[in-house]
Amino acid sequence: MPRPFGFFVHHQGRGHARRCEEIIRHLDDRPITILSADREIFGDLDGRVDFIKLPNAIGDPSATPALHAQQTPDAMQCVPLGASKLKRNAEEIVGWFKRADPGLFFNDVSVEWAILSRVCSVPCVKVRMHGDRADASHHTAYQACASLVAPYDRM
């Protein structure tokens, strides 16, 4: 049986979910796992697709004001220190990496999960979003990935 593919899908808006569904539709019969904070943004998923619900970490407070005040590294975007939901998300993703031994982790969109995927030695494909992404965090995420997908017309 082919190794599974995983999809991290950001839960704000439905565009990330629609893109994921379209890509899955074109894949072979391998097992698929979607990791996202909201199952409701997806339509009907076929029987080979599992879903892991991640905690919604948007606005997750740091444990203390001192931790909250720590500067975010330039290579990252959203990594507050002492945030319990962020820690649980990382645990869920790393746990799935360990259990599933995926052949590919498709990332739509997170700088941190692209880096985590690389640290865990799981090949990652990341969505390249529109606009100027010349900042250090996007460059780090792109460098961490095996490939990029740019699902839009040439500008």
Side-chain angles (χ1 to χ4, degrees):
M1 173 175 269
R3 291 168 65 194
F5 284 175
F7 287 77
F8 169 76
V9 180
H10 199 288
H11 64 283
Q12 288 189 312
R14 294 186 184 267
H16 303 293
R18 291 299 159 277
R19 186 168 30 250
C20 172
E21 291 168 335
E22 190 62 24
I23 291 168
I24 288 172
R25 198 169 68 78
H26 292 281
L27 293 176
D28 58 18
D29 290 337
R30 78 180 59 244
I32 303 289
T33 298
I34 296 172
L35 301 99
S36 183
D38 188 358
R39 171 63 180 88
E40 299 303 313
I41 62 173
F42 296 90
D44 292 331
L45 299 170
D46 66 46
R48 70 195 162 116
V49 179
D50 289 327
F51 189 89
I52 295 176
K53 184 169 179 14
L54 300 174
N56 181 349
I58 293 177
D60 189 20
S62 297
T64 69
L67 287 174
H68 185 74
Q70 293 294 310
Q71 183 176 348
T72 298
D74 290 341
M76 299 181 141
Q77 289 186 325
C78 185
V79 287
L81 293 175
S84 63
K85 290 180 182 177
L86 181 62
K87 190 182 309 180
R88 288 200 332 253
N89 281 342
E91 290 169 350
E92 286 286 342
I93 293 168
V94 170
W96 182 77
F97 287 164
K98 185 176 179 182
R99 289 187 309 276
D101 188 25
L104 185 68
F105 185 57
F106 187 89
N107 179 347
D108 191 352
V109 292
S110 168
V111 167
E112 290 73 26
W113 302 149
I115 295 167
L116 183 65
S117 182
R118 181 61 178 247
V119 168
C120 291
S121 198
V122 173
C124 183
V125 171
K126 183 155 180 13
V127 171
R128 167 56 167 95
M129 296 180 68
H130 283 280
D132 179 7
R133 306 296 172 175
D135 56 276
S137 61
H138 282 90
H139 274 265
T140 300
Y142 299 156
Q143 289 172 343
C145 290
S147 189
L148 301 175
V149 173
Y152 47 85
D153 290 335
R154 184 179 302 197
M155 297 197 265

